[in-house]
Amino acid sequence: MSRRVRRKVARKGKVVSPIYAETEDEILGLKQYDYVDWTGLPDDTVLQLFSCLNYRDRASLSSTCRTWRVLGISPCLWNSLDLRAHKCDASMASSLAPRCVNLQKLRFRGAESADAVIHLQARNLREISGDYCRKITDATLSVIVARHEALESLQLGPDFCERISSDAIKAIAFCCPKLKKLRLSGIRDVHGDAINALAKNCSNLTDIGFIDCLNVDEMALGNVVSVRFLSVSGTSNMKWGVVSDLWHKLPNLAGLDVSRTDIGPNAVSRLLSSSQSLKVLCALNCPVLEEHTSFHINKNKGKLLLVLFNDIFKGIGLLFVDTTNKGKNVFLDWRNLKNKDKNLDEIMIWVEWILSHTLLRIAESNQQGLDEFWLKQGAALLLSLMQSSQEDVQERAATGLATFVVIDDENANIDRGRAEAVMREGGIRLLLDLAKSWREGLQSEAAKAIANLSVNTNVAKSVAEEGGINILAGLARSMNRLVAEEAAGGLWNLSVGEEHKGAIAEAGGVKALVDLIFKWSTGGDGVLERAAGALANLAADDKCSTEVAVAGGVHALVMLARNCKFEGVQEQAARALANLAAHGDSNSNNAAIGQEAGALEALVQLTRSAHEGVRQEAAGALWNLSFDDRNREVIAAAGGVEALVALAQSCSNASPGLQERAAGALWGLSVSEANSIAIGREGGVAPLIALARSEAEDVHETAAGALWNLAFNPGNALRIVEEGGVPALVHLCSSSVSKMARFMAALALAYMFDGRMDEFALLGTSSESSSKSVNLDGARRMALKHIEAFVLTFSDPQAFAAAAASSAPAALSQVTEGARIQEAGHLRCSGAEIGRFVAMLRNSSAILKACAAFALLQFTIPGGRHAMHHASLMQNAGAARVLRAAAAAATAPLEAKIFARIVLRNLEHHHMEPSL
C-alpha cells in the first residue's frame, strides 16, 4: 500500500491541508463513481472553500443544502465585507446582520450605504472604509462612530467629503478612543478644537490624513504627539512657517506627506534637519519645491525625501540596512525579507499607501510636463504597488495605470509611450493576474486598466497573446456590475482590432455581452454602453454579426434603443444595429431587425435626439436598414421621411459623419418612388443640395446618390433645378475627389435633362414653379457640358482607337479597365432605372447616349455585386437590340459606340452564366 504525502499550503497566514485520496483503494473508489458527493466534505474544508469565494458565490453554495447553509453563515467567513458593488440599504443591511456579529472590516460606497451601516449591528467593527462620500453628512458619520466604539481605522475618500465638518471629527474623537488611523479627504475646514479633541481622546492615533482639505489648523496638529504618520497631501492654505516651527517637535513623527501642496525648500529643509524622528518626507508634485531643482536633498543622512525629480526607487532603498535593496525591485525585496523589522514594515506600508494615493491624484489631473517622470519611474512605481499586500493600494495602483495613460477622455486617446512602458515592464501579465483575483474590487480596477491600455494596438495584441480575452470574457459574466462593466469595456476596446473579433467570439464573449444587456437592462448605464459598444464593433464582422443575432443580440439592442434614456447607450445600440444591418444579403440580420417590434420606430425617434452622436448612428442604422424593401416602407410609415428631412435640414454645420448618414438614409428611402416624391414634398431637396456642397468626400457620395434617386421623378428634378441644384451637381461632377460622387452627379444631371422634366415643367405642376423662374436651357447646356467632360475622363484615346479598329476582346477589355469605377458595382438599379438608361440610348443628345452607355457598362461589368441582376433586367427590356443599334449608329459618338459594344459583351457573358 502506498501513501500520498500531505502537503501543507499556506494561505492568508493559516495552514490548511488539502484533501487527497489516501490509499489506492480510495483512488480506485473515486474512479468507480461518476460523481463526488461534495456535501460529504469535512466542515473545515467547506469553510476553506467558502473563504475563497465572494459573498454572492458563498450565498449560492449555501443554498444547496442545510449543512452548507449553516456553514455559510459561520462568523469566520464574515470578518470582512465589501459592499461597494451593491446597493446596500437598511433592508439589505438588516438581512446581513446575523452574519456580521464578528465583522471586523467594512468597505462601502455612497451615502445610502453609509446610512445603512448601523443596521449591520456589527459593534465589533475595527475598520471602516468608504468612498463616493460627497453626500455623507455629519449626522450620518456621527451615528456610525457612536455605534462602533471599537473602531481603530476610519477612511473616507479619495473623493471629497463636502458635507462633513469639524463637528463630525469631534464626534469621532469622543466615540472612538481606540482609533489608530484616521484619513479624511476634502473637508473644508479642520478646526483646532476638533484636532485637539483627537489628541486628547485618541491616545493610540498614529496615522492621520487630512487630504485635499481647504484649511487645516497646523498648530493643533502639533499637539497630536502620538502621530507617527501624517498626510496633508493636496491641502491648501497651509502656513509652512508654522509647520516647520512646530511639527519637527512631534516626538514620534516618522512619515510626513506634503505632496501636491505649495511647500517650499526652506520648510522642507527645516523639517528634515530639525526633526529627530522623521524618516520619510514625501513631497511629490510640489511646484514651488520643484522650481528649485538644485535643492540639495542628500545632506540629511538617514532621512528620505521623495520628490518627482529624484530617483524614488533608489531613495526608498536607502531605508534598508542592506543597501543592496536598490532599483525597481526594492518593494519586492522588502516583501521577501526573511528578517522582518517592525518599524521598517510600518514605514513601507505607509509609503505604499501615500504613493498609490498621490500617483493616482497626479494621474487624474493629467498635468503637462510629466512624461519623463511617468516613463522613467511612474509606470514602474504603479506596477510595484500593484503587487502590494494592501488591497486598497493594489486597487489604487491599477486605477492609476488606467488613468495615467489617458490624455484625452473625450476622444479616448491614450499616450502610446506610457502604454508601451507598462507593457515593457511586464504590466500586462500583472494586470491579468490581478484580474483573476477572487476579490471583485481588484478584478474591476485591473479590468479597467486593461481596457484603457488596450486602446493601443500593440498592447491589445499583448493582452490577446497573454490570454486576456478569455479572462475578460469570464469577468463579463460576473454578477458584480462594476466588474462586468470594466470587462465589457476591455472587450469593447479589443474588438476594435479585426484580428481579435474571432477570438472574442470563440471565448464566449458575444453571448456574455448580450447577457449583460438583459442582466443590467435597468440601472446599469455604464455596463450597457460598453456592452453595446463591443457588440457594435463585433457586428461589423460578417461572421460575428451572425453570432450576435443568434445570441439574441437583435432583441437586446432593440430593447436598448426603445427603452434606454442614456445617450451613450442609445448611440452604441444604434451603431450596433447599423453594423448588424450592413451585411446585405450575406445574412438575414437586416430583415430580422425590421421584424423586431418597435425597432424602426425607435430608430426614427432617435434621429430627433439632442445628442449628435445618437442622431448620427440612428440615421446610419436607418440607411442600412432601408436596403430591405419592407423596412423601407415601415420606416416611411413611422415618420422616417419627415424625421430624416428635418435631420438633413438641421445638420449643415454638423460633423461630416452625421451629414453623410443623414443624406445616406434619405438615399436609401428614395429608392422607392413614393418615398422619393414624399422627400421632395417635405422639402428634402434643398438640404441635400446644401450637403452636396460639403467639403467631405463621403458626404459628396451620399448627397449625390440621394439627388440621383430624387431626380428620377420629374417633379423632383424640377425642384433640384429651382433650388440651385444644377451648379452643385456640376461642381460634384467635375471636382469631387470621389469617382462615385462624380458618377452619380452625372447620372442625376442626365435624368434631369433627358426630356422628361421639360414635359413636367410645361405642365407647371411644381409646387414652387410659380415663385421661382429658372432658365432651363442654360441649365441644360451647363449640365450636358460637364456630363460630356466627365465621360471623356474615362475615355483613353489610344485605347478607343484600338477598340474602334479591332473587334478583338483584348481591345475592349483595355477600355473596360480604364472606364471602370470599382464602387459602382455595388449599386443596385430597378427595372425602371435600367429601362430609363436603355431609353436614353435613343436620345437625340449624343452626350446623353454616351452617358447612358457608360452607366450600363458600370452596372454590368462581370464581378459586380449586382451585375447579373442588371443583365437580367436588360434582357427583359430588350436592351440588346437598342445597344446594337447604338453601337452601329453612324451619328453616335465614338464613346457611345465602344461602351455599347462592351455592354453587349457583358450581356453575352452573363447570358452564359447557368443562373441567368
Side-chain angles (χ1 to χ4, degrees):
M1 185 190 329
S2 62
R3 183 177 293 274
R4 285 183 177 267
V5 177
R6 284 182 176 268
R7 295 182 300 164
K8 292 189 175 181
V9 182
R11 175 172 173 73
K12 289 186 175 181
K14 299 179 182 178
V15 176
V16 297
S17 300
I19 301 301
Y20 295 103
E22 294 279 328
T23 66
E24 291 178 356
D25 293 338
E26 289 178 293
I27 295 169
L28 292 173
L30 286 174
K31 292 179 179 179
Q32 182 178 349
Y33 297 100
D34 294 329
Y35 65 92
V36 176
D37 182 8
W38 291 97
T39 61
L41 291 173
D43 289 354
D44 59 348
T45 303
V46 176
L47 287 172
Q48 185 62 34
L49 173 64
F50 277 24
S51 71
C52 298
L53 304 176
N54 59 46
Y55 314 110
R56 189 180 293 102
D57 291 341
R58 288 179 199 170
S60 297
L61 278 180
S62 296
S63 66
T64 57
C65 67
R66 184 178 301 174
T67 301
W68 281 20
R69 188 176 302 117
V70 172
L71 292 173
I73 62 173
S74 298
C76 64
L77 294 176
W78 296 88
N79 288 324
S80 65
L81 184 61
D82 187 348
L83 296 173
R84 289 175 297 168
H86 311 280
K87 184 178 180 181
C88 182
D89 54 17
S91 174
M92 177 182 174
S94 297
S95 68
L96 290 171
R99 297 172 171 81
C100 296
V101 175
N102 294 324
L103 189 64
Q104 303 281 307
K105 182 178 180 180
L106 174 68
R107 302 185 75 176
F108 69 88
R109 174 166 291 165
E112 185 179 12
S113 294
D115 291 333
V117 166
I118 59 171
H119 297 284
L120 292 172
Q121 299 181 30
R123 292 190 173 275
N124 294 315
L125 263 179
R126 298 291 188 270
E127 299 180 34
I128 294 179
S129 177
D131 53 23
Y132 288 79
C133 299
R134 291 183 184 275
K135 295 183 179 180
I136 295 179
T137 63
D138 280 356
T140 297
L141 184 53
S142 298
V143 171
I144 289 174
V145 296
R147 297 288 184 91
H148 302 99
E149 299 90 345
L151 206 60
E152 296 178 359
S153 173
L154 175 62
Q155 300 184 70
L156 299 179
D159 47 311
F160 294 177
C161 303
E162 296 174 343
R163 300 175 68 180
I164 293 177
S165 71
S166 289
D167 291 340
I169 297 175
K170 284 189 281 187
I172 294 168
F174 296 140
C175 296
C176 304
K178 297 180 180 180
L179 195 66
K180 296 178 180 179
K181 182 188 298 180
L182 177 64
R183 294 170 180 162
L184 303 175
S185 294
I187 296 177
R188 182 177 180 81
D189 296 297
V190 184
H191 294 146
D193 56 349
I195 296 174
N196 287 328
L198 289 171
K200 180 180 178 180
N201 296 285
C202 304
S203 58
N204 297 320
L205 186 57
T206 58
D207 190 333
I208 297 176
F210 292 127
I211 301 165
D212 291 308
C213 298
L214 189 62
N215 295 290
V216 173
D217 191 311
E218 305 88 348
M219 292 186 67
L221 276 173
N223 297 328
V224 189
V225 294
S226 61
V227 69
R228 292 200 69 215
F229 303 104
L230 174 60
S231 175
V232 289
S233 175
T235 293
S236 13
N237 303 316
M238 296 292 294
K239 300 180 183 66
W240 296 112
V242 174
V243 168
S244 57
D245 283 341
L246 294 178
W247 289 8
H248 74 271
K249 299 176 184 177
L250 289 168
N252 299 303
L253 186 64
L256 175 61
D257 178 21
V258 294
S259 299
R260 301 182 297 112
T261 66
D262 58 356
I263 193 170
N266 292 335
V268 169
S269 180
R270 187 166 182 189
L271 285 166
L272 288 172
S273 62
S274 303
S275 175
Q276 298 299 311
S277 58
L278 190 62
K279 297 294 184 185
V280 180
L281 198 160
C282 185
L284 298 174
N285 200 28
C286 296
V288 177
L289 183 62
E290 287 161 11
E291 287 175 4
H292 299 78
T293 53
S294 59
F295 178 66
H296 191 56
I297 59 177
N298 293 321
K299 62 182 179 181
N300 298 291
K301 291 187 176 181
K303 297 186 179 179
L304 171 62
L305 175 63
L306 298 178
V307 286
L308 292 182
F309 55 80
N310 187 24
D311 185 332
I312 294 174
F313 285 109
K314 183 178 179 181
I316 293 173
L318 297 176
L319 292 173
F320 296 85
V321 175
D322 180 1
T323 56
T324 58
N325 290 298
K326 295 179 180 179
K328 294 181 179 180
N329 290 325
V330 64
F331 286 98
L332 184 61
D333 290 343
W334 160 64
R335 294 180 196 118
N336 292 332
L337 282 176
K338 294 181 178 179
N339 299 318
K340 297 293 184 180
D341 181 325
K342 181 182 177 183
N343 288 331
L344 177 62
D345 287 350
E346 289 178 351
I347 291 172
M348 289 295 291
I349 288 169
W350 179 78
V351 166
E352 282 190 334
W353 193 92
I354 55 110
L355 280 177
S356 67
H357 183 278
T358 298
L359 290 174
L360 176 56
R361 280 296 198 216
I362 295 172
E364 288 171 340
S365 67
N366 197 16
Q367 279 181 250
Q368 301 298 311
L370 292 179
D371 279 350
E372 184 179 1
F373 165 74
W374 286 121
L375 293 175
K376 285 189 173 180
Q377 54 181 333
L381 279 168
L382 289 170
L383 291 173
S384 292
L385 295 171
M386 228 167 58
Q387 301 170 74
S388 169
S389 60
Q390 302 178 75
E391 184 179 349
D392 56 343
V393 170
Q394 287 182 298
E395 286 184 23
R396 206 171 286 116
T399 308
L401 285 173
T403 306
F404 95 109
V405 295
V406 180
I407 55 177
D408 182 359
D409 284 322
E410 188 70 24
N411 298 305
N413 290 331
I414 70 167
D415 186 283
R416 177 178 178 179
R418 296 180 188 180
E420 294 186 0
V422 174
M423 184 171 64
R424 285 194 302 273
E425 296 282 350
I428 303 306
R429 184 70 264 162
L430 286 173
L431 284 166
L432 291 174
D433 287 342
L434 207 62
K436 292 188 288 186
S437 165
W438 65 274
R439 293 186 174 93
E440 293 175 333
L442 296 179
Q443 292 175 355
S444 172
E445 298 309 318
K448 181 191 297 181
I450 294 166
N452 287 358
L453 289 163
S454 295
V455 173
N456 178 277
T457 53
N458 291 331
V459 175
K461 181 181 178 182
S462 177
V463 169
E465 290 174 348
E466 294 276 3
I469 288 175
N470 283 312
I471 292 172
L472 290 172
L475 292 179
R477 301 182 185 97
S478 172
M479 294 298 292
N480 183 313
R481 181 179 59 80
L482 300 178
V483 174
E485 180 175 321
E486 300 303 345
L491 293 174
W492 186 4
N493 288 342
L494 283 165
S495 62
V496 171
E498 294 297 323
E499 66 274 25
H500 304 313
K501 291 177 180 177
I504 292 172
E506 289 175 11
V510 170
K511 181 68 164 59
L513 291 164
V514 171
D515 289 345
L516 276 184
I517 294 176
F518 292 118
K519 190 185 299 179
W520 304 105
S521 57
T522 58
D525 293 339
V527 68
L528 293 176
E529 180 181 15
R530 288 162 174 78
L535 289 172
N537 288 347
L538 292 167
D541 177 82
D542 188 46
K543 183 178 178 182
C544 289
S545 72
T546 302
E547 291 208 26
V548 172
V550 170
V554 171
H555 180 64
L557 292 163
V558 168
M559 179 182 71
L560 293 182
R562 291 183 63 188
N563 301 329
C564 189
K565 304 303 179 187
F566 181 63
E567 291 166 339
V569 178
Q570 292 174 340
E571 180 179 0
Q572 296 308 321
R575 186 169 74 92
L577 291 170
N579 287 347
L580 280 173
H583 299 282
D585 300 330
S586 64
N587 60 45
S588 60
N589 289 348
N590 200 311
I593 294 170
Q595 291 165 10
E596 192 71 35
L600 301 178
E601 293 83 352
L603 289 167
V604 168
Q605 188 61 36
L606 290 180
T607 63
R608 301 185 176 99
S609 169
H611 188 275
E612 181 173 318
V614 177
R615 298 197 302 274
Q616 174 175 311
E617 299 304 341
L622 290 172
W623 179 12
N624 289 345
L625 289 162
S626 65
F627 285 96
D628 179 86
D629 294 340
R630 180 184 176 277
N631 288 347
R632 191 162 51 243
E633 303 317 314
V634 174
I635 291 168
V641 169
E642 298 83 352
L644 290 166
V645 167
L647 181 61
Q649 290 170 336
S650 68
C651 71
S652 57
N653 296 319
S655 67
L658 176 55
Q659 293 178 338
E660 178 198 9
R661 288 161 177 79
L666 287 171
W667 181 12
L669 283 185
S670 63
V671 169
S672 158
E673 188 167 11
N675 290 343
S676 176
I677 294 170
I679 290 168
R681 288 176 178 167
E682 283 293 326
V685 169
L688 285 169
I689 292 171
L691 292 176
R693 297 189 178 101
S694 167
E695 296 181 359
E697 177 183 339
D698 291 338
V699 182
H700 290 174
E701 291 187 8
T702 54
L707 289 168
W708 171 37
N709 279 355
L710 291 178
F712 187 85
N713 176 269
N716 282 338
L718 185 56
R719 286 188 179 91
I720 293 171
V721 176
E722 292 171 341
E723 294 288 351
V726 173
L729 287 167
V730 161
H731 179 72
L732 279 186
C733 183
S734 60
S735 305
S736 177
V737 176
S738 165
K739 286 184 181 180
M740 275 292 286
R742 291 165 56 204
F743 177 52
M744 291 185 290
L747 298 188
L749 290 168
Y751 277 173
M752 291 161 62
F753 295 105
D754 68 351
R756 298 191 188 187
M757 182 183 68
D758 297 354
E759 299 171 6
F760 188 85
L762 289 173
L763 296 174
T765 54
S766 170
S767 61
E768 300 178 20
S769 60
S770 60
S771 61
K772 296 185 180 181
S773 60
V774 291
N775 182 352
L776 289 180
D777 288 337
R780 179 183 293 105
R781 285 193 297 274
M782 181 193 301
L784 293 177
K785 175 184 175 182
H786 286 86
I787 292 172
E788 181 181 29
F790 167 74
V791 173
L792 287 175
T793 59
F794 294 89
S795 308
D796 177 52
Q798 290 184 340
F800 270 71
S806 169
S807 59
L812 292 180
S813 296
Q814 186 177 358
V815 173
T816 302
E817 286 307 310
R820 184 178 196 140
I821 300 174
Q822 194 72 34
E823 297 87 348
H826 295 289
L827 295 173
R828 181 184 175 94
C829 297
S830 66
E833 291 171 305
I834 292 294
R836 189 155 178 177
F837 286 116
V838 171
M840 212 179 287
L841 291 170
R842 301 192 186 99
N843 197 283
S844 59
S845 168
I847 293 172
L848 290 179
K849 285 180 181 177
C851 181
F854 180 77
L856 292 171
L857 180 151
Q858 303 299 330
F859 299 146
T860 58
I861 291 178
R865 184 174 179 182
H866 302 293
M868 291 184 64
H869 165 73
H870 294 146
S872 178
L873 293 177
M874 291 177 68
Q875 187 180 41
N876 294 339
R881 180 172 52 84
V882 181
L883 286 163
R884 282 192 290 270
T891 58
L894 178 62
E895 292 79 15
K897 292 181 179 182
I898 300 299
F899 289 148
R901 285 172 56 192
I902 294 172
V903 176
L904 282 167
R905 191 187 69 162
N906 291 345
L907 292 180
E908 291 173 3
H909 171 85
H910 293 302
H911 184 66
M912 293 169 62
E913 295 287 338
S915 59
L916 190 67

